[in-house]
Amino acid sequence: MKLIFEKSVKGRRAVRFPRPAGGEKLINAKLLRARPAELPELPESEVVRHFTNLSRMNFSVDTNFYPLGSCTMKHNPKACELAAALPGFAHIHPLWPQLRHGGLLTQGALRLLYETERLLSEITGMAEFTLQPLAGAHGELTGSMLIAAYHRDRGNKKTRIIIPDSAHGTNPASAALAGFSVVTIPSNRRGTVDPGELRKAVNDQTAGMMLTNPNTLGLFEPDVREIAAIIHSVDGLMYYDGANFNAVIGRCKPAEMGFDICHLNLHKTFSTPHGGGGPGAGPVGVVEKLRQYLPISRVVKNRDGMFSLDYDYPKSIGYVAPFYGNFGVLVRAYAYCLMLGREGLRAASNHAVLNANYVLAKLRDCFPPDYDGPCLHECVLSARRFAENGIRALDIAKGLIDLGIHPPTVYFPLIVPEAMMIEPTETETRETLDEFIAAMRALAETARKKPAELKTAPGNAPIGRLDEVAAARNMDLVFQG
């Protein structure tokens, strides 16, 4: 497909607007261009066709199956989009609540923030939430800063955060950004945390532990309460990475598992479409003893029933984001919770777990998992058996593109060779899952009998197999006309 600059023909144009009388005088002469901008010249029909055709090349959850593991690329209710687009929410200026009498004009928005915090607290068992963090990793950093604030306030000299080797890559980065050194502990044969290995790693320097449950293998940590007791025995704090909360929502609460801090990815679990770099939201909840360290400002409900902002928290870690977070994402999450209710959220989780186990059961013989057994919302398969034919997980992923399916996450978690992490989500039908399973089995057959065909995939996509190393290291996105 040609770029719009390549389609340009000098002199062609759409609408010509009349030049305002004396228009040049309205702009400082120093700011005027010395020569016209080099813009593409095309009639309106060609511009519309170009961008319409370009949009058809997009691959999204609205057009095809998108089993990207650990990212919950699920279809979200369009009603939540309508709620976020309501003029009272979409057109509100973020500075209003801070202006004199501005709180009176923003009572609806402040009430939504206040009630969303209460809903998330009820769902997780936490005492209170901040909605400010703008993404999951931002929530991790905020949580790590809360751990630091807690120990600093108590005079503790703690420098280390413990993280399993199956953790999301952002966990160690967030802990390091907050000033901690990271101690990694290996998973056991079941793919979960071994309390014995944890005991060896814990000492007086342990500030806390970051844990995802279910973990990145899609497995529930059965010893989570024992793990929490070990960390708490040295006055450490348990941090819950809520990236996989879609698997357990409505069934168990992080606070009841022994966690002190948790973040949720609203853009994964609570309606906002995920991907493309945002927007996201990673609210952070804490147990009672950490409430005083939460970021400011806090939304409070006064005795007269009105809502306002409160900055009077001397031990707060301060500001972590502009205004009150990604407000549009919070509106979607609030609408999603009200629409589904307690039973609806639980049902969504149940269906996500059922779908993942269905895929695992149907593909286990073709792509044997390293850690077998029932999974939760996602399963991790391996393509290692095809290595003798020269086929890797990447080749299977590229083959799926030719079959109209977005590839799953590959090579993660790092502890599984040739890993393929598949998250079907709760919103896919059995027919869609069967089509995916048939596609994966067909690719397994090709890997066995005609491996050379897979090495050149994709063959029918707009762009074929890229040199991924060169694309990452020698990126050049400038149009050379």
Side-chain angles (χ1 to χ4, degrees), residues 359-369 381-386 396 420 437-438 440-445 447-448:
V359 170
L360 174 63
K362 293 289 186 180
L363 291 177
R364 179 184 282 123
D365 61 322
C366 288
F367 302 95
L381 306 176
S382 174
R384 67 195 306 179
R385 68 163 42 177
F386 302 110
I396 301 294
M420 296 182 296
I437 291 163
M440 289 289 285
R441 298 189 73 86
L443 292 172
E445 189 70 9
R448 276 192 291 268

Side-chain angles (χ1 to χ4, degrees), residues 143-182:
S144 299
M145 292 168 66
L146 289 168
I147 294 174
Y150 169 80
H151 290 303
R152 186 167 53 246
D153 193 31
R154 293 171 65 84
N156 293 339
K157 306 295 183 183
K158 293 176 179 290
T159 58
R160 308 198 311 171
I161 295 283
I162 296 175
I163 301 176
D165 61 359
S166 63
H168 291 106
T170 48
N171 286 179
S174 300
L177 277 174
F180 294 105
S181 59
V182 174

Side-chain angles (χ1 to χ4, degrees), residues 255-273:
E256 294 173 352
M257 289 189 269
F259 290 95
D260 305 290
I261 306 170
C262 83
H263 89 259
L264 300 175
N265 286 9
L266 299 190
H267 50 284
K268 290 184 178 182
T269 310
F270 296 90
S271 186
T272 294

Side-chain angles (χ1 to χ4, degrees), residues 405-428:
I405 298 173
H406 193 282
T409 299
V410 294
Y411 303 116
F412 183 77
L414 302 178
I415 58 176
V416 176
E418 301 301 325
M420 296 182 296
M421 178 190 280
I422 299 163
E423 183 174 5
T425 80
E426 74 276 10
T427 50
E428 298 298 342

Side-chain angles (χ1 to χ4, degrees), residues 133-377:
L134 303 171
H138 194 195
E140 293 173 23
L141 177 60
T142 301
S144 299
M145 292 168 66
L146 289 168
I147 294 174
Y150 169 80
H151 290 303
R152 186 167 53 246
D153 193 31
R154 293 171 65 84
N156 293 339
K157 306 295 183 183
K158 293 176 179 290
T159 58
R160 308 198 311 171
I161 295 283
I162 296 175
I163 301 176
D165 61 359
S166 63
H168 291 106
T170 48
N171 286 179
S174 300
L177 277 174
F180 294 105
S181 59
V182 174
V183 177
T184 303
I185 57 171
S187 301
N188 59 24
R189 288 184 301 173
R190 295 178 296 170
T192 56
V193 173
D194 186 332
E197 291 295 327
L198 177 61
R199 284 193 180 88
K200 296 177 186 175
V202 168
N203 58 31
D204 291 341
Q205 300 298 309
T206 303
M209 180 176 186
M210 301 179 80
L211 186 65
T212 307
N213 196 20
N215 63 25
T216 56
L217 291 166
L219 305 174
F220 191 85
E221 295 282 353
D223 301 312
V224 62
R225 283 181 170 160
E226 182 179 353
I227 292 168
I230 295 170
I231 297 298
H232 288 155
S233 69
V234 293
D235 197 22
L237 296 173
M238 286 291 290
Y239 179 90
Y240 181 77
D241 182 326
N244 293 342
F245 195 57
N246 205 41
V248 296
I249 184 171
R251 285 202 166 274
C252 59
K253 301 179 179 181
E256 294 173 352
M257 289 189 269
F259 290 95
D260 305 290
I261 306 170
C262 83
H263 89 259
L264 300 175
N265 286 9
L266 299 190
H267 50 284
K268 290 184 178 182
T269 310
F270 296 90
S271 186
T272 294
H274 181 44
V284 172
V286 296
V287 295
E288 184 62 39
K289 66 181 179 182
L290 300 174
R291 190 194 289 258
Q292 59 189 323
Y293 307 110
L294 283 172
I296 52 173
S297 59
R298 312 285 313 131
V299 180
V300 296
K301 186 176 183 179
N302 304 315
R303 291 182 178 179
D304 61 0
M306 300 289 283
F307 299 89
S308 61
L309 298 175
D310 189 357
Y311 298 84
D312 189 17
Y313 294 89
K315 294 186 178 180
S316 166
I317 62 172
Y319 298 91
V320 299
F323 309 116
Y324 323 98
N326 276 329
F327 184 67
V329 179
L330 304 176
V331 174
R332 291 177 177 90
Y334 180 69
Y336 186 76
C337 289
L338 295 185
M339 286 173 57
L340 268 67
R342 188 188 306 271
E343 293 306 316
L345 291 172
R346 182 186 174 100
S349 178
N350 288 348
H351 290 145
V353 173
L354 177 63
N355 283 357
N357 278 282
Y358 183 72
V359 170
L360 174 63
K362 293 289 186 180
L363 291 177
R364 179 184 282 123
D365 61 322
C366 288
F367 302 95
D370 275 24
Y371 301 93
D372 206 358
C375 62
L376 289 186
H377 69 303

